[in-house]
Amino acid sequence: MSDDAAPRFSPGDRVQVRDDWPERRGPCHIRTPHYLRGRTGTVERVLGAFPNPEDLAFARPAPRRVLYHVLFDQPPLWREGEPGDQVLVEIFEHWLEPAAAPAKEAA
């Protein structure tokens, strides 16, 4: 991994996938599944830094972006599955933000 692509997140960090829809603004190549946008997951593993495929698809210079394995609970995604079922997805860092802290319940 190069210094210009040091990971922002670590295993165990809660992250939220950006709720962004660049395909509505014009032609683009997106590697982030629609069903995950706006969803919260947990970083499982840092995979390293790789040229951004969203730029490579258009033969543009592709900066190296950190790629993660992010784990999501399955039932909230598709309204199916059992508690404990999970989905593991590779997501590039520019699609991730720190997750908001869960709201505390009133005492």
Side-chain angles (χ1 to χ4, degrees):
M1 201 174 322
S2 67
D3 291 336
D4 63 331
R8 179 178 177 197
F9 302 106
S10 299
D13 287 351
R14 298 284 293 162
V15 292
Q16 182 172 357
V17 179
R18 287 181 30 227
D19 191 6
D20 188 20
W21 299 85
E23 58 273 28
R24 293 180 180 162
R25 297 188 291 272
C28 60
H29 175 76
I30 305 297
R31 295 284 309 225
T32 301
H34 292 114
Y35 61 86
L36 292 177
R37 296 182 197 178
R39 302 292 186 150
T40 300
T42 303
V43 172
E44 182 76 10
R45 180 175 298 119
V46 180
L47 299 174
F50 303 91
N52 183 9
E54 295 175 2
D55 292 316
L56 290 174
F58 290 95
R60 297 186 297 237
R64 293 171 61 81
R65 306 277 182 137
V66 177
L67 183 65
Y68 299 88
H69 269 163
V70 181
L71 199 57
F72 297 86
D73 290 331
Q74 178 183 320
L77 297 178
W78 298 305
R79 296 188 180 136
E80 67 179 35
E82 302 295 326
D85 288 350
Q86 298 178 310
V87 177
L88 184 67
V89 181
E90 292 179 357
I91 303 179
F92 279 91
E93 184 173 272
H94 64 284
W95 274 94
L96 299 174
E97 304 169 329
K104 293 184 180 181
E105 293 184 25

